[in-house]
PDB file of all heavy atoms in Angstrom:
ATOM      1  N   THR B   9      10.586 -16.289  -4.849  1.00  0.00           N
ATOM      2  CA  THR B   9      12.029 -16.212  -5.116  1.00  0.00           C
ATOM      3  C   THR B   9      12.373 -14.810  -5.602  1.00  0.00           C
ATOM      4  O   THR B   9      11.512 -14.050  -6.058  1.00  0.00           O
ATOM      5  CB  THR B   9      12.447 -17.189  -6.236  1.00  0.00           C
ATOM      6  OG1 THR B   9      11.907 -16.704  -7.496  1.00  0.00           O
ATOM      7  CG2 THR B   9      11.903 -18.578  -6.004  1.00  0.00           C
ATOM      8  N   GLU B  52      18.041 -26.345  -2.392  1.00  0.00           N
ATOM      9  CA  GLU B  52      17.887 -26.817  -1.014  1.00  0.00           C
ATOM     10  C   GLU B  52      16.414 -26.604  -0.548  1.00  0.00           C
ATOM     11  O   GLU B  52      15.809 -27.492   0.029  1.00  0.00           O
ATOM     12  CB  GLU B  52      18.816 -26.003  -0.152  1.00  0.00           C
ATOM     13  CG  GLU B  52      19.178 -26.548   1.230  1.00  0.00           C
ATOM     14  CD  GLU B  52      20.138 -25.593   1.862  1.00  0.00           C
ATOM     15  OE1 GLU B  52      21.327 -25.501   1.415  1.00  0.00           O
ATOM     16  OE2 GLU B  52      19.778 -24.926   2.850  1.00  0.00           O
ATOM     17  N   ASN B  67       6.924 -18.996  -7.016  1.00  0.00           N
ATOM     18  CA  ASN B  67       6.645 -17.752  -7.756  1.00  0.00           C
ATOM     19  C   ASN B  67       7.961 -17.051  -8.081  1.00  0.00           C
ATOM     20  O   ASN B  67       8.801 -16.779  -7.237  1.00  0.00           O
ATOM     21  CB  ASN B  67       5.726 -16.851  -6.923  1.00  0.00           C
ATOM     22  CG  ASN B  67       5.290 -15.600  -7.701  1.00  0.00           C
ATOM     23  OD1 ASN B  67       5.401 -14.484  -7.236  1.00  0.00           O
ATOM     24  ND2 ASN B  67       4.789 -15.815  -8.901  1.00  0.00           N
ATOM     25  N   ALA B  81      16.847 -24.794 -11.234  1.00  0.00           N
ATOM     26  CA  ALA B  81      16.826 -25.325  -9.891  1.00  0.00           C
ATOM     27  C   ALA B  81      15.845 -26.475  -9.775  1.00  0.00           C
ATOM     28  O   ALA B  81      16.105 -27.481  -9.110  1.00  0.00           O
ATOM     29  CB  ALA B  81      16.462 -24.180  -8.878  1.00  0.00           C
ATOM     30  N   VAL B  91      15.165 -29.568 -20.993  1.00  0.00           N
ATOM     31  CA  VAL B  91      15.033 -29.884 -22.398  1.00  0.00           C
ATOM     32  C   VAL B  91      14.183 -28.752 -23.094  1.00  0.00           C
ATOM     33  O   VAL B  91      13.434 -28.039 -22.408  1.00  0.00           O
ATOM     34  CB  VAL B  91      14.413 -31.247 -22.684  1.00  0.00           C
ATOM     35  CG1 VAL B  91      15.240 -32.350 -22.129  1.00  0.00           C
ATOM     36  CG2 VAL B  91      12.924 -31.287 -22.166  1.00  0.00           C
ATOM     37  N   GLY B 108       5.708  -7.595 -34.653  1.00  0.00           N
ATOM     38  CA  GLY B 108       6.626  -7.249 -35.746  1.00  0.00           C
ATOM     39  C   GLY B 108       8.068  -7.334 -35.347  1.00  0.00           C
ATOM     40  O   GLY B 108       8.905  -6.656 -35.935  1.00  0.00           O
ATOM     41  N   SER B 114      17.913 -14.499 -26.063  1.00  0.00           N
ATOM     42  CA  SER B 114      17.832 -14.710 -24.603  1.00  0.00           C
ATOM     43  C   SER B 114      16.547 -15.362 -24.190  1.00  0.00           C
ATOM     44  O   SER B 114      16.459 -16.026 -23.163  1.00  0.00           O
ATOM     45  CB  SER B 114      18.071 -13.418 -23.844  1.00  0.00           C
ATOM     46  OG  SER B 114      17.117 -12.453 -24.271  1.00  0.00           O
ATOM     47  N   GLN B 118      13.505 -19.502 -21.900  1.00  0.00           N
ATOM     48  CA  GLN B 118      12.200 -19.618 -21.272  1.00  0.00           C
ATOM     49  C   GLN B 118      11.423 -20.854 -21.799  1.00  0.00           C
ATOM     50  O   GLN B 118      10.370 -21.195 -21.294  1.00  0.00           O
ATOM     51  CB  GLN B 118      11.339 -18.356 -21.514  1.00  0.00           C
ATOM     52  CG  GLN B 118      11.954 -17.180 -20.733  1.00  0.00           C
ATOM     53  CD  GLN B 118      11.139 -15.913 -20.862  1.00  0.00           C
ATOM     54  OE1 GLN B 118      11.008 -15.376 -21.940  1.00  0.00           O
ATOM     55  NE2 GLN B 118      10.572 -15.473 -19.769  1.00  0.00           N
ATOM     56  N   TYR B 148       3.984 -26.234  -8.766  1.00  0.00           N
ATOM     57  CA  TYR B 148       3.565 -25.344  -9.865  1.00  0.00           C
ATOM     58  C   TYR B 148       4.560 -24.191  -9.921  1.00  0.00           C
ATOM     59  O   TYR B 148       4.671 -23.463  -8.889  1.00  0.00           O
ATOM     60  CB  TYR B 148       2.173 -24.808  -9.653  1.00  0.00           C
ATOM     61  CG  TYR B 148       1.075 -25.837  -9.718  1.00  0.00           C
ATOM     62  CD1 TYR B 148       0.690 -26.505  -8.545  1.00  0.00           C
ATOM     63  CD2 TYR B 148       0.407 -26.135 -10.892  1.00  0.00           C
ATOM     64  CE1 TYR B 148      -0.333 -27.437  -8.571  1.00  0.00           C
ATOM     65  CE2 TYR B 148      -0.640 -27.050 -10.932  1.00  0.00           C
ATOM     66  CZ  TYR B 148      -0.983 -27.724  -9.770  1.00  0.00           C
ATOM     67  OH  TYR B 148      -1.999 -28.638  -9.784  1.00  0.00           O
ATOM     68  N   SER B 177     -13.898 -28.077  -0.591  1.00  0.00           N
ATOM     69  CA  SER B 177     -14.889 -27.198  -1.164  1.00  0.00           C
ATOM     70  C   SER B 177     -14.561 -25.763  -0.838  1.00  0.00           C
ATOM     71  O   SER B 177     -13.999 -25.422   0.188  1.00  0.00           O
ATOM     72  CB  SER B 177     -16.261 -27.531  -0.677  1.00  0.00           C
ATOM     73  OG  SER B 177     -16.296 -27.404   0.716  1.00  0.00           O
ATOM     74  N   SER B 182     -18.409 -13.082   2.559  1.00  0.00           N
ATOM     75  CA  SER B 182     -19.156 -11.828   2.490  1.00  0.00           C
ATOM     76  C   SER B 182     -18.433 -10.790   3.364  1.00  0.00           C
ATOM     77  O   SER B 182     -17.858 -11.143   4.389  1.00  0.00           O
ATOM     78  CB  SER B 182     -20.596 -11.985   3.048  1.00  0.00           C
ATOM     79  OG  SER B 182     -21.283 -12.965   2.305  1.00  0.00           O
ATOM     80  N   TYR B 211     -11.152 -10.580  10.368  1.00  0.00           N
ATOM     81  CA  TYR B 211     -11.130  -9.129  10.373  1.00  0.00           C
ATOM     82  C   TYR B 211      -9.953  -8.631   9.574  1.00  0.00           C
ATOM     83  O   TYR B 211      -8.903  -9.243   9.562  1.00  0.00           O
ATOM     84  CB  TYR B 211     -10.992  -8.588  11.839  1.00  0.00           C
ATOM     85  CG  TYR B 211     -12.111  -9.125  12.711  1.00  0.00           C
ATOM     86  CD1 TYR B 211     -11.852 -10.182  13.587  1.00  0.00           C
ATOM     87  CD2 TYR B 211     -13.354  -8.592  12.635  1.00  0.00           C
ATOM     88  CE1 TYR B 211     -12.888 -10.678  14.370  1.00  0.00           C
ATOM     89  CE2 TYR B 211     -14.402  -9.061  13.437  1.00  0.00           C
ATOM     90  CZ  TYR B 211     -14.130 -10.123  14.292  1.00  0.00           C
ATOM     91  OH  TYR B 211     -15.170 -10.590  15.069  1.00  0.00           O
ATOM     92  N   LYS B 241     -26.846  -6.362  12.049  1.00  0.00           N
ATOM     93  CA  LYS B 241     -27.706  -5.796  13.110  1.00  0.00           C
ATOM     94  C   LYS B 241     -26.867  -5.434  14.334  1.00  0.00           C
ATOM     95  O   LYS B 241     -27.052  -4.391  14.931  1.00  0.00           O
ATOM     96  CB  LYS B 241     -28.775  -6.797  13.461  1.00  0.00           C
ATOM     97  CG  LYS B 241     -29.863  -6.220  14.262  1.00  0.00           C
ATOM     98  CD  LYS B 241     -31.151  -6.973  14.168  1.00  0.00           C
ATOM     99  CE  LYS B 241     -32.133  -6.170  15.011  1.00  0.00           C
ATOM    100  NZ  LYS B 241     -33.506  -6.491  14.766  1.00  0.00           N
ATOM    101  N   HIS B 257     -20.583   2.277  -2.739  1.00  0.00           N
ATOM    102  CA  HIS B 257     -21.943   2.285  -2.212  1.00  0.00           C
ATOM    103  C   HIS B 257     -22.534   3.680  -2.333  1.00  0.00           C
ATOM    104  O   HIS B 257     -23.686   3.838  -2.760  1.00  0.00           O
ATOM    105  CB  HIS B 257     -21.898   1.797  -0.754  1.00  0.00           C
ATOM    106  CG  HIS B 257     -23.210   1.777  -0.051  1.00  0.00           C
ATOM    107  ND1 HIS B 257     -24.316   1.154  -0.568  1.00  0.00           N
ATOM    108  CD2 HIS B 257     -23.617   2.337   1.097  1.00  0.00           C
ATOM    109  CE1 HIS B 257     -25.339   1.305   0.249  1.00  0.00           C
ATOM    110  NE2 HIS B 257     -24.943   2.036   1.282  1.00  0.00           N
ATOM    111  N   VAL B 299     -11.469  23.956  -2.504  1.00  0.00           N
ATOM    112  CA  VAL B 299     -10.554  23.641  -1.442  1.00  0.00           C
ATOM    113  C   VAL B 299     -10.023  24.956  -0.913  1.00  0.00           C
ATOM    114  O   VAL B 299      -9.334  25.660  -1.628  1.00  0.00           O
ATOM    115  CB  VAL B 299      -9.400  22.721  -1.958  1.00  0.00           C
ATOM    116  CG1 VAL B 299      -8.494  22.320  -0.812  1.00  0.00           C
ATOM    117  CG2 VAL B 299      -9.959  21.484  -2.670  1.00  0.00           C
ATOM    118  N   ALA B 329     -25.601  25.020  -7.193  1.00  0.00           N
ATOM    119  CA  ALA B 329     -26.952  24.579  -7.591  1.00  0.00           C
ATOM    120  C   ALA B 329     -27.027  23.026  -7.623  1.00  0.00           C
ATOM    121  O   ALA B 329     -27.509  22.441  -8.597  1.00  0.00           O
ATOM    122  CB  ALA B 329     -27.246  25.166  -8.980  1.00  0.00           C
ATOM    123  N   THR B 372      -7.844  11.459   6.481  1.00  0.00           N
ATOM    124  CA  THR B 372      -8.592  10.237   6.149  1.00  0.00           C
ATOM    125  C   THR B 372      -9.812  10.083   7.045  1.00  0.00           C
ATOM    126  O   THR B 372     -10.909   9.781   6.561  1.00  0.00           O
ATOM    127  CB  THR B 372      -7.679   9.011   6.230  1.00  0.00           C
ATOM    128  OG1 THR B 372      -6.596   9.165   5.334  1.00  0.00           O
ATOM    129  CG2 THR B 372      -8.435   7.733   5.871  1.00  0.00           C
ATOM    130  N   THR B 376     -13.879  10.631   5.983  1.00  0.00           N
ATOM    131  CA  THR B 376     -14.794   9.521   6.153  1.00  0.00           C
ATOM    132  C   THR B 376     -15.989   9.873   7.011  1.00  0.00           C
ATOM    133  O   THR B 376     -17.098   9.487   6.747  1.00  0.00           O
ATOM    134  CB  THR B 376     -14.054   8.270   6.738  1.00  0.00           C
ATOM    135  OG1 THR B 376     -12.841   8.125   6.048  1.00  0.00           O
ATOM    136  CG2 THR B 376     -14.909   7.023   6.581  1.00  0.00           C
ATOM    137  N   PHE B 392     -26.492  11.301  13.261  1.00  0.00           N
ATOM    138  CA  PHE B 392     -25.302  11.469  14.089  1.00  0.00           C
ATOM    139  C   PHE B 392     -24.860  10.116  14.648  1.00  0.00           C
ATOM    140  O   PHE B 392     -25.497   9.541  15.535  1.00  0.00           O
ATOM    141  CB  PHE B 392     -25.611  12.453  15.244  1.00  0.00           C
ATOM    142  CG  PHE B 392     -26.027  13.805  14.724  1.00  0.00           C
ATOM    143  CD1 PHE B 392     -27.291  14.328  14.975  1.00  0.00           C
ATOM    144  CD2 PHE B 392     -25.174  14.583  13.949  1.00  0.00           C
ATOM    145  CE1 PHE B 392     -27.681  15.564  14.505  1.00  0.00           C
ATOM    146  CE2 PHE B 392     -25.559  15.842  13.441  1.00  0.00           C
ATOM    147  CZ  PHE B 392     -26.825  16.332  13.726  1.00  0.00           C
TER     148      PHE B 392
END
Side-chain angles (χ1 to χ4, degrees):
Chain B
T9 71
E52 198 178 293
N67 187 232
V91 299
S114 57
Q118 294 183 294
Y148 294 89
S177 60
S182 301
Y211 304 101
K241 194 156 182 164
H257 178 53
V299 182
T372 300
T376 314
F392 302 117

